[in-house]
Amino acid sequence: MTSFDTTRTHYGTSASRSGGLFAQLTAAFVSWNETRKTAQALSNLTDRELADIGLNRGDIMNVAQNDFIR
């Protein structure tokens, strides 16, 4: 009689590790790019427009990095 084990997992294979690394790198790039685009858009606003939304130039990077607390 032959048995077949279906509970075996493949932890730590090189394919899964490289896929995980690629996913992390992609997520880091997407996050960096979103921060860059947000900072650029806010930087293009005038001081008056920033004041209208309750911000000043010093707040731009905190807002772009989602670290802004008011």
Side-chain angles (χ1 to χ4, degrees), residues 6-60:
T6 60
T7 60
R8 188 176 293 184
T9 57
H10 299 281
Y11 293 112
T13 63
S14 62
S16 67
R17 279 185 276 159
S18 63
L21 178 61
F22 180 74
Q24 288 177 339
L25 289 174
T26 301
F29 175 76
V30 168
S31 177
W32 167 81
N33 196 43
E34 288 297 318
T35 299
R36 182 190 64 80
K37 290 190 310 186
T38 301
Q40 183 178 21
L42 290 172
S43 294
N44 289 335
L45 297 176
T46 65
D47 289 338
R48 171 68 189 240
E49 291 169 328
L50 287 170
D52 285 345
I53 59 175
L55 300 175
N56 59 48
R57 297 242 170 245
D59 295 330
I60 289 175

